[in-house]
Amino acid sequence: MRLLQINLSVIFLVVFLITSCENSEKSKNTLEEKLAYKSTQLDNLPNNEAGNIVRKSIEHAGGWENWNNKKTLTYTKIIQVIKENGEVERELKQLHEYLLKPELKVKISWEEDGDKFEIINNIQQATKYKNGVALQEEESMNSAWNSSFGSHYVMCMPFKLTDSGTVLKYEGIDTLKNGKVAYAIKTTYEEGAGSAAGKHTWTYYFDKESYELVGNFLDYGDGYSYIQNEKIEVKDGIRVNTARKSFKANSINEITQLTTNYRNEDIQFDLKMDESMFEIK
């Protein structure tokens, strides 16, 4: 009986040591993965003038470590569609809720003409709902993908320029429509890097003195637009855009018409979110 107790104790000790080693190795791997993620994201930026400008812009905007620690983001987005005569044609007020970690999930909700709309994107699927009913036509499904990914992409600049597959090219110094002098960085994406790869080309403008992201020019295949950032505010250590204007433009970035005003209000990071809110119904 005593021999059996000794044997059981030895077995328990061996199991404990094995389990401890496994847990220690898991903790080590988890830490290494976190450090690798922090490192490799910035390492996606090229070691040239374009990459250096974006690095300085990220540092100016709050720094990579601060941004990388954010788990969620919520804000109210106000969209004003402008007529050719300058009058507001319509205004939408949307609630945007983003789960940033461990993987991106997006929910956008708003009311329009008495109806309630939602867009939910859980990365695997994006669906648009009207009064709780999923819209199945192709236009609505495309809208769900484009609106959710597009809004997240714009709101999370310049940090999104570290994404894998991003191709940055320094285009020199330009003077913008509002007189700001800025570095121009042409941005395209490798095949397979997002749904717009090969279709859209952005040129981002960074203030020559501060490296603030002050605007961009977009060639979206069927036309051109120029976006001018009007106001930047600091929220929880991160500089975020709270007002911008979108103009219709031509191929050489000559403005022809103001088309949209955007405002971002009630911006908050790290509010607690239940992942069930991103489930496709």
Side-chain angles (χ1 to χ4, degrees):
M1 187 68 173
R2 178 175 174 77
L3 179 60
L4 178 61
Q5 288 177 339
I6 293 173
N7 288 341
L8 287 175
S9 298
V10 170
I11 291 170
F12 174 79
L13 178 60
V14 171
V15 171
F16 173 78
L17 289 173
I18 291 172
T19 304
S20 298
C21 289
E22 287 179 348
N23 289 338
S24 177
E25 188 62 30
K26 285 179 182 177
S27 298
K28 180 182 176 183
N29 290 341
T30 302
L31 177 60
E32 287 175 349
E33 286 169 4
K34 287 179 179 178
L35 291 174
Y37 175 76
K38 287 185 180 181
S39 175
T40 55
Q41 281 288 102
L42 283 178
D43 284 349
N44 286 333
L45 295 174
N47 292 316
N48 56 25
E49 194 154 14
N52 291 337
I53 289 169
V54 173
R55 285 186 189 90
K56 290 177 181 177
S57 182
I58 286 172
E59 189 61 32
H60 175 74
W64 177 255
E65 185 174 359
N66 189 8
W67 170 256
N68 193 45
N69 287 332
K70 305 304 184 197
K71 302 297 188 299
T72 69
L73 170 61
T74 65
Y75 64 99
T76 300
K77 182 178 183 179
I78 299 168
I79 307 167
Q80 289 182 330
V81 179
I82 308 299
K83 295 180 181 180
E84 286 190 28
N85 63 5
E87 294 179 357
V88 177
E89 181 178 344
R90 62 189 175 94
E91 180 175 293
L92 294 178
K93 189 174 184 179
Q94 300 177 330
L95 175 62
H96 287 239
E97 299 170 285
Y98 304 159
L99 182 67
L100 302 174
K101 300 288 175 60
E103 63 178 2
L104 176 67
K105 295 183 180 180
V106 176
K107 181 177 181 180
I108 304 172
S109 50
W110 74 98
E111 291 189 14
E112 184 177 355
D113 299 326
D115 294 309
K116 293 184 177 180
F117 291 89
E118 276 186 345
I119 288 174
I120 296 177
N121 183 341
N122 65 5
I123 296 299
Q124 284 75 39
Q125 185 178 351
T127 304
K128 184 177 182 179
Y129 299 89
K130 181 178 181 180
N131 297 321
V133 178
L135 301 177
Q136 301 294 339
E137 69 273 15
E138 185 177 359
E139 182 181 354
S140 293
M141 289 190 287
N142 288 339
S143 172
W145 284 112
N146 295 337
S147 296
S148 53
F149 278 133
S151 294
H152 169 259
Y153 178 81
V154 171
M155 191 63 176
C156 298
M157 283 294 170
F159 305 98
K160 287 292 289 177
L161 293 176
T162 65
D163 282 357
S164 180
T166 306
V167 180
L168 305 173
K169 181 183 177 184
Y170 178 62
E171 295 277 280
I173 296 174
D174 203 350
T175 301
L176 306 183
K177 313 309 179 218
N178 58 4
K180 286 184 179 292
V181 179
Y183 296 110
I185 306 293
K186 184 178 180 180
T187 305
T188 55
Y189 289 85
E190 296 174 352
E191 186 176 351
S195 59
K199 301 175 184 177
H200 297 171
T201 300
W202 288 262
T203 301
Y204 287 99
Y205 300 106
F206 301 88
D207 184 271
K208 189 173 179 292
E209 301 301 325
S210 67
Y211 296 92
E212 187 91 77
L213 178 56
V214 291
N216 72 275
F217 172 66
L218 171 62
D219 175 356
Y220 52 87
D222 295 326
Y224 309 88
S225 62
Y226 171 71
I227 294 89
Q228 185 168 284
N229 294 343
E230 298 287 304
K231 188 176 181 182
I232 303 290
E233 296 183 26
V234 179
K235 302 292 181 181
D236 198 14
I238 299 294
R239 298 177 67 82
V240 289
N241 183 279
T242 56
R244 59 194 177 96
K245 293 180 181 293
S246 181
F247 300 85
K248 186 176 180 180
N250 61 21
S251 61
I252 58 174
N253 201 7
E254 292 175 334
I255 289 175
T256 59
Q257 179 195 340
L258 173 65
T259 59
T260 318
N261 287 325
Y262 298 95
R263 295 199 318 274
N264 299 321
E265 300 178 347
D266 303 321
I267 300 168
Q268 298 182 73
F269 286 102
D270 292 334
L271 291 183
K272 193 169 183 180
M273 292 184 185
D274 190 328
E275 289 200 43
S276 63
M277 65 188 283
F278 303 100
E279 292 176 359
I280 302 295
K281 304 166 190 175

